[in-house]
Amino acid sequence: MLPRLLRPAPLLVAMALAGPLVAGAPAAVAAIPIPTAVRMNVAPARDAIAPYVFTVTGRLVFRLPTPGGACAGVVSMAIKANGLPVLLKSPKVGADCRFTEVFRVPRRAKLHGARKLVIAGLWFRFGAPTSVIAPARTVRIR
């Protein structure tokens, strides 16, 4: 016997063709501009006396021209000692696409005998389809 072919109702076909043929994120999410890079600088590169104080400054980089309302979101940063997080901070990105944060690592922090600390950053914005990782920076202590 030949298999019986199922035919969809003509009304269902008409409704499917009348609707938009898009898949994926809604238009509001697709409109959020994503930076091409996140730049971070740390000063000083070395601190020998506790409490260890490091100032992290940075900016978001977009393709030119920068879209209006693009400079928003949060840069989530962590100082890690031997791969374990010591401090977590999340500065907001200003209207000029820049951010800054001061890390104070106290003497009593559990540094696990580390002589180097790694500062890692990640930009994200609620509703954005993706996030952008900043290159990690290494600083020396003691």
Side-chain angles (χ1 to χ4, degrees):
M1 288 186 83
L2 295 173
R4 185 174 171 199
L5 297 175
L6 298 175
R7 295 184 185 184
L11 181 60
L12 293 175
V13 173
M15 287 175 37
L17 292 176
L21 298 175
V22 293
V29 172
I32 295 175
I34 305 297
T36 56
V38 177
R39 308 272 186 216
M40 277 189 350
N41 294 323
V42 180
R46 172 180 145 153
D47 193 353
I49 302 170
Y52 309 109
V53 180
F54 300 102
T55 302
V56 180
T57 58
R59 65 185 176 93
L60 302 180
V61 179
F62 292 92
R63 295 176 198 244
L64 294 177
T66 302
C71 297
V74 173
V75 178
S76 179
M77 292 187 284
I79 284 192
K80 297 180 182 182
N82 292 334
L84 300 172
V86 176
L87 284 175
L88 303 171
K89 294 208 176 185
S90 296
K92 291 182 180 178
V93 177
D96 59 349
C97 294
R98 296 185 183 277
F99 60 90
T100 185
E101 188 64 60
V102 176
F103 284 95
R104 292 182 190 280
V105 182
R107 177 186 310 268
R108 66 184 183 281
K110 295 188 179 188
L111 299 177
H112 311 287
R115 300 273 184 203
K116 293 181 182 179
L117 300 177
V118 175
I119 301 175
L122 170 77
W123 172 87
F124 68 92
R125 184 172 172 181
F126 294 107
T130 186
S131 57
V132 181
I133 298 173
R137 301 289 179 230
T138 303
V139 292
R140 294 180 8 192
I141 58 175
R142 286 183 245 179

